[in-house]
Amino acid sequence: MAMGRRVAACLAALLWLTAANAEAMETGRTIVRTQDGRTISFAVERAGNDEERMTGLMNRKALATNSGMIFDFENNSVVVMWMKNTLIPLDMLFITAEGRISGIARNAVPLSLERIAAPGPVRYVLEIKGGVAEKLGIRPGDRVEPFVPSP
């Protein structure tokens, strides 16, 4: 019985930390400039440290079409993502330090442990609602202003 209480306490603490982490993330905008001259703006949370990057969009039940999360790895890195505890399908835009989309993983499967690798070293990953990249015509080669902080 004591073991059950400890597990419940640990789960409660994890949920609290996840909620606290989501509230603490910096917010702003990420702007995509398509090759055909369009500008698309997303309201984003910035995952800029290991804890925020590990939590990401886990346990979120919805994501607006014009919102997402930008993962900043601080330097070009070999990046592998997954969908563990992520409840909604996502598009993942892999962005180089120079601000160019190098690849897109479309409609990543919720709750999957499949590894989703960037096509090469990237500094950023922008996660948006699944299907939005195709709907908006976002493609590799487009330019990105990864994070513009909210005033």
Side-chain angles (χ1 to χ4, degrees), residues 36-82:
D36 61 5
R38 292 175 298 116
T39 299
I40 304 164
S41 180
F42 294 95
V44 295
E45 294 173 79
R46 180 179 172 273
N49 63 46
D50 288 341
E51 182 182 348
E52 292 170 344
R53 287 187 291 265
M54 287 179 62
T55 303
L57 290 169
M58 288 181 177
N59 302 310
R60 309 274 180 106
K61 294 180 181 174
L63 185 63
T65 299
N66 64 339
S67 66
M69 181 171 288
I70 188 84
F71 294 75
D72 184 348
F73 293 93
E74 300 174 11
N75 297 297
N76 267 348
S77 305
V78 175
V79 173
V80 178
M81 307 291 282
W82 65 358

Side-chain angles (χ1 to χ4, degrees), residues 6 11 27 29 63 66 75 81-82 91 94 104 110 119 128:
R6 275 185 274 185
L11 287 173
T27 60
R29 302 206 76 63
L63 185 63
N66 64 339
N75 297 297
M81 307 291 282
W82 65 358
D91 288 344
F94 298 103
I104 301 174
I128 57 177

Side-chain angles (χ1 to χ4, degrees), residues 6-23:
R6 275 185 274 185
V7 169
C10 286
L11 287 173
L14 179 61
L15 289 173
W16 178 82
L17 284 171
T18 299
N21 184 48
E23 292 176 302

Side-chain angles (χ1 to χ4, degrees), residues 76-132:
N76 267 348
S77 305
V78 175
V79 173
V80 178
M81 307 291 282
W82 65 358
M83 295 289 287
K84 180 180 181 180
N85 298 325
T86 305
L87 307 175
I88 51 179
L90 298 172
D91 288 344
M92 297 178 190
L93 285 62
F94 298 103
I95 306 163
T96 66
E98 297 76 34
R100 181 95 43 205
I101 297 175
S102 62
I104 301 174
R106 299 180 190 275
N107 283 303
V109 178
L111 304 172
S112 173
L113 297 180
E114 179 183 340
R115 299 165 61 88
I116 303 166
V122 296
R123 174 164 177 183
Y124 307 97
V125 176
L126 173 61
E127 291 184 340
I128 57 177
K129 187 174 184 178
V132 168

